[in-house]
Amino acid sequence: MCGIVAYTGDQPAKGILIEGLKRLEYRGYDSSGIFIANGAPYLARAVGKVAELEHQVWNSAPEGVAGIAHTRWATHGKPSVLNAHPHGDCTGKLFLVHNGIIENYLLLKKRLLEAGHQFKSETDTEVLTHLVEAHYAGDLQAAVQKALLQVQGTFGIAVMHISQPHTVVVARRGSPIILGIGEKASLAASDASALAQHTDQVVFLEDNEMASLTPGKFSITTLDNRSVSRGTTNLDWNIESMDCGSFPHYMLKEIFEQPESVENALRGRVNHSEAVAKLGGLESVQERLLNARHLIIVSCGTSYYAGLYGRYVFETLTDLTVETELASEFRYRKLNLRQGTVVLAISQSGETADTLAALREAKRKGALVLGLVNVVGSTIARETHAGIYSHAGIEVGVASTKSFTSQLTILTLMALLIGRSRDLSYEEGHEIIRALELVPDQIREILKQAGKIRDLAEKYCHSDHFFFVGRKFQYPIALEGALKLKEIAYIHSEGYAAGEMKHGPIALIDPKFPTLALALEDGSYERVVSNMQEIRAREGKIIAITTEGNTKLGNLVDDVVYIPRTHEAVAPLLTVVPLQLFAYYCGVLLGRDVDKPRNLAKSVTVE
Ligand code: M6R
C-alpha cells in the first residue's frame, strides 16, 4: 500500500527520490518522507501529498547521492510527521522505511524499551528500526538480517546507516521490492514504475531475501544467509503511459485508453481460422486446463467483479462448473478441492495480499493455479503455475478502469479456448471473436458521449444514494458501477441483481433515491424492464443504459444512455464505460480527488 524508493549513484538523490515518490503516490498518500545519507545526513517528513514534502526538500535538502524515501498509507498510528517514514534509531545514524505489518511489534517494543531504546512514533516500523540498531555492530547488512529473523509479519524495507553512506540494504517478505540496476546507480522500489525513468534492468527480490546495493552493483542473500545468484530482467517500459498527457486526471485518461487496451488484450491471441483463442502463457499447462472440470476464480474489489463476469462467461461457453470467491474469504475456508480443479487468481497489481494468500492456499492443496495479472513480474504473476498478462498498461488512478475491461476480454478468450475444446461450435466461437474485435471501436463511440454523461452527473451527483441494477452478464457490471461511484464520488451506492430489489432493497426507493438500470435488449430484457417498473411504481428515478435503437423505454425512465448492439456475453465491456465516466464526473463535480480517493490505496498489500 505504501511506496518505497531508494537510490545510490552519482546524481543528487533528492530529485530522483521525490520523482519516484510521485510515481508511487497512488499506492499510499497520507504522509511521506526522505532521508539522504551522505554529505550532511538529512531527514524530512510531511503530512499530506508528496508535494508538501517536495516543497520542504527543495528548500533545504543537501546534494547527497544516496537516500531512501517513502509514501505512507497509515496502518499503525494516524498520519502525522512523527509517524511518517523514514524512522530513525536512537543514535540518529540509522534510518529505515517499511511497507507491511510487523505482527509481533508490541513484544519487540517491550524488550527494546527495557533495553533503553526511546520511541518517538506509534508505528510498528520504528520498532523494526530500533531492532536493527540493537544488532548493529558496524555491518548494516548483518544487523538487518539478524533483526528480520526476529520479526513476524510482512515487510518490504530499505535501510541506510551514515557510516556506509553509499549502501542501501533492502529486504522483503510479503511486500514487493524490485531492484533497478543502471551503470553508475542502483535503485530499489516497491513498484517498478518508480524505476522506469532510470533503467530497464530490474531484479525481482523474492520473499525472505535481502540485497545490498551500491552504485551500479547489487548482491542478494536469503535471510538465512545463503547467497543467491540472479541476473537482471529487461522490462519494456512505456514511460509516456505514466503521464497524464492532456487529460486532467489519470482516471479519465485511463477510461479513454480502453479502445487501445482492449486491442492490446486481444492482440495475437485469436486464431480466426479455428475460431479459438491462442494464449501463449497457458501453453505449458494446456493439457491440464483443457481437462479441468471445476474452476474457482479468486480476487478482490473490481477484479472480483471481473471474476463474477468470468463465472457467467465460462458457464456460457464451456461445461465447467465455476465458482467466484472473494480471496479474503477463500483463504480461510476449509477447502476440499476436487481433482481437476483450476484456481484462477485475478489481480491488476499482482500484489494484493488476500489474493496472493488465496492462491498459495490453493497451490498447497494441489490445484493448478493460474493468474490473470496486469503488472508484469508482480508476485502473483510469479507465483502462479502459468498465466496471462492483461497488457492494459500502467494504471495509475486508484480506481481500476482499463484493467477491468482487459480482464473481461481475457476471461472471454480463456472461456473460448476451453469451450472450443469441448462443445462450443465453430460458429459460436466465431461470433464471440467477431464481437470482441468490434469492442475497441464501439468503446470509441461510447466515449463520444462523455459530454452527455457529464450532464447526467451534474443532474444526479447531489443524490445521497444510488442503486445500480442488472441481470446475468450485467449483474457484475451493476456491482462495479456502484463500487466506482462509492470510491470516486463518495456517494453511497449499492449494486443489486435486478431481481433482488423486490426482496428488500426496494423499500428504500423514493423520488430522491435514483437507480441506474442496465437494460440491454438481450435475453434478460423483459425481466429487467419489469424490475424497473416496480421501481417506477415507487416514484424512483431511473437512468437506463440500453441498446442503440431501443425506443421502447419511453416514460419508464428519466434518462437514457445508448450503447452499440453486441453479443450478450461481450456487452459488459461496453456497459461499464458509461458507468466509469459517470463516477468520474460525479467525483470531479463534487470536488473529490478522483485519482487518489480518500482512505484508499492502489495496491492492497495488507490483509
Ligand atoms: O490489484 P487488484 O486487482 O488485486 O486489486 C483489487 C482491489 O483492491 C481493486 O480492484 C480495488 O477494488 C480498486 N480500487 C477498484 O477500483
Side-chain angles (χ1 to χ4, degrees):
M1 329 262 293
C2 313
I4 288 177
V5 58
Y7 174 84
T8 175
D10 62 349
Q11 301 294 312
K14 65 182 177 189
I16 292 168
L17 294 174
I18 291 288
E19 186 51 38
L21 286 186
K22 286 186 181 164
R23 298 263 180 226
L24 297 178
E25 203 176 8
Y26 71 102
R27 294 175 67 102
Y29 35 76
D30 51 40
S31 53
S32 56
I34 186 171
F35 170 69
I36 293 175
N38 53 351
Y42 170 85
L43 174 71
R45 295 180 292 183
V47 174
K49 300 275 159 67
V50 172
E52 300 295 326
L53 178 73
E54 184 178 22
H55 185 67
Q56 274 189 47
V57 167
W58 285 130
N59 289 333
S60 56
E63 295 295 307
V65 291
I68 53 178
H70 188 264
T71 172
R72 178 168 186 252
W73 187 87
T75 55
H76 292 70
K78 63 180 189 295
S80 70
V81 169
L82 284 183
N83 287 338
H85 308 203
H87 288 285
D89 69 349
C90 299
T91 66
K93 292 179 178 170
L94 185 150
F95 288 84
L96 182 148
V97 293
H98 165 228
N99 289 351
I101 291 180
I102 307 299
E103 287 163 7
N104 57 338
Y105 83 105
L106 284 174
L107 178 68
L108 294 170
K109 187 170 182 175
K110 185 168 170 279
R111 288 188 195 145
L112 288 161
L113 281 168
E114 282 162 9
H117 288 262
Q118 290 186 347
F119 288 84
K120 301 187 187 89
S121 77
E122 305 155 86
T123 64
D124 52 343
T125 302
E126 195 187 358
V127 175
L128 187 51
T129 312
H130 288 272
L131 192 62
V132 177
E133 179 194 3
H135 288 288
Y136 184 76
D139 179 345
L140 183 60
Q141 189 167 355
V144 171
Q145 191 174 20
K146 284 182 188 149
L148 291 179
L149 290 177
Q150 289 178 260
V151 160
Q152 286 161 16
T154 56
F155 50 81
I157 57 168
V159 198
M160 294 194 84
H161 195 286
I162 57 171
S163 66
Q164 291 171 259
H166 298 280
T167 302
V168 180
V169 174
V170 295
R172 78 161 270 180
R173 181 193 293 153
S175 194
I177 292 285
I178 300 147
L179 317 181
I181 308 300
E183 248 178 60
K184 294 182 182 161
S186 298
L187 298 100
S190 50
D191 182 326
S193 61
L195 308 174
Q197 281 195 316
H198 306 284
T199 180
D200 56 4
Q201 296 302 308
V202 301
V203 182
F204 295 100
L205 216 58
E206 302 286 347
D207 273 351
N208 296 311
E209 287 182 351
M210 60 190 296
S212 177
L213 302 175
T214 49
K217 297 203 176 77
F218 69 97
S219 64
I220 304 180
T221 58
T222 59
L223 291 185
D224 55 7
N225 210 17
R226 279 175 291 121
S227 94
V228 175
S229 149
R230 185 167 308 140
T232 58
T233 304
N234 187 288
L235 273 198
D236 195 10
W237 306 109
N238 177 1
I239 292 187
E240 262 171 40
S241 69
M242 292 187 208
D243 289 316
C244 249
S246 56
F247 288 91
H249 298 102
Y250 281 104
M251 182 177 173
L252 189 62
K253 174 182 177 245
E254 287 158 6
I255 292 172
F256 271 78
E257 277 171 354
Q258 289 178 107
E260 290 76 35
S261 52
V262 170
E263 262 159 15
N264 289 339
L266 288 171
R267 199 181 309 281
R269 287 172 166 166
V270 171
N271 173 341
H272 291 93
S273 61
E274 307 274 328
V276 71
K278 287 189 295 182
L279 299 171
L282 298 182
E283 264 162 25
S284 60
V285 295
Q286 186 129 329
E287 205 181 312
R288 265 179 95 182
L289 180 60
L290 297 185
N291 289 321
R293 306 304 323 152
H294 186 204
L295 174 69
I296 305 177
I297 305 176
V298 291
S299 41
C300 305
T302 289
S303 295
Y304 171 68
Y305 299 144
L308 284 180
Y309 163 82
R311 188 172 71 192
Y312 288 103
V313 81
F314 277 101
E315 278 171 3
T316 305
L317 304 186
T318 77
D319 59 358
L320 286 170
T321 54
V322 191
E323 290 169 56
T324 300
E325 286 257 17
L326 287 166
S328 53
E329 290 296 316
F330 178 86
R331 62 184 288 192
Y332 291 114
R333 276 185 50 206
K334 183 170 183 302
L335 296 175
N336 185 7
L337 301 182
R338 281 176 258 158
Q339 232 197 344
T341 297
V342 174
V343 172
L344 172 65
I346 306 180
S347 175
Q348 186 287 128
S349 61
E351 302 294 349
T352 302
D354 287 320
T355 310
L356 189 56
L359 84 81
R360 286 177 177 159
E361 190 60 22
K363 236 174 152 180
R364 194 172 294 121
K365 299 271 158 35
L368 171 66
V369 178
L370 307 179
L372 167 45
V373 171
N374 190 35
V375 177
V376 175
S378 56
T379 310
I380 293 177
R382 286 178 294 123
E383 289 206 13
T384 40
H385 293 119
I388 311 167
Y389 283 118
S390 42
H391 293 319
I394 289 173
E395 190 180 69
V396 176
V398 164
S400 286
T401 52
K402 63 176 179 172
S403 62
F404 180 69
T405 41
S406 296
Q407 288 166 347
L408 302 191
T409 307
I410 289 166
L411 286 164
T412 313
L413 290 175
M414 282 183 77
L416 178 67
L417 175 73
I418 298 173
R420 287 286 292 128
S421 74
R422 300 182 183 190
D423 60 357
L424 191 75
S425 71
Y426 173 87
E427 269 313 316
E428 288 165 319
H430 197 64
E431 231 180 277
I432 292 285
I433 292 173
R434 208 171 27 231
L436 281 175
E437 290 185 331
L438 286 175
V439 165
D441 278 340
Q442 291 176 324
I443 294 180
R444 284 184 186 101
E445 286 308 307
I446 295 169
L447 291 171
K448 287 183 189 157
Q449 301 183 61
K452 174 179 178 180
I453 294 165
R454 192 186 185 286
D455 293 344
L456 285 178
E458 210 154 359
K459 181 168 167 188
Y460 290 97
C461 73
H462 295 289
S463 309
D464 291 330
H465 313 278
F466 245 96
F467 277 131
F468 287 73
V469 298
R471 278 175 176 258
K472 202 179 171 186
F473 283 104
Q474 297 302 330
Y475 166 46
I477 304 307
L479 296 172
E480 171 61 3
L483 178 65
K484 285 283 99 63
L485 194 62
K486 267 190 269 237
E487 63 180 346
I488 298 306
Y490 316 154
I491 296 175
H492 169 237
S493 41
E494 300 292 336
Y496 272 97
E500 262 308 284
M501 287 293 286
K502 59 185 173 295
H503 296 293
I506 204 164
L508 294 170
I509 289 289
D510 68 18
K512 288 196 200 137
F513 199 137
T515 299
L516 196 147
L518 296 155
L520 300 190
E521 287 188 310
D522 57 18
S524 303
Y525 180 71
E526 302 300 338
R527 286 186 291 277
V528 175
V529 167
S530 83
N531 300 140
M532 289 159 69
Q533 275 156 349
E534 290 155 10
I535 292 168
R536 202 56 166 177
R538 275 89 188 162
E539 295 183 39
K541 299 246 180 327
I542 300 179
I543 309 171
I545 309 283
T546 192
T547 315
E548 219 157 54
N550 176 12
T551 52
K552 299 177 299 241
L553 287 172
N555 290 336
L556 182 56
V557 297
D558 297 277
D559 292 283
V560 192
V561 175
Y562 292 99
I563 64 138
R565 191 172 295 275
T566 183
H567 192 291
E568 176 181 37
V570 172
L573 280 105
L574 304 183
T575 47
V576 74
V577 178
L579 306 197
Q580 295 166 342
L581 286 168
F582 183 69
Y584 169 79
Y585 285 119
C586 285
V588 169
L589 290 162
L590 294 170
R592 314 298 193 218
D593 187 346
V594 291
D595 280 339
K596 301 187 192 87
R598 69 184 180 201
N599 306 341
L600 299 180
K602 181 71 181 164
S603 146
V604 184
T605 53
V606 292
E607 185 178 346

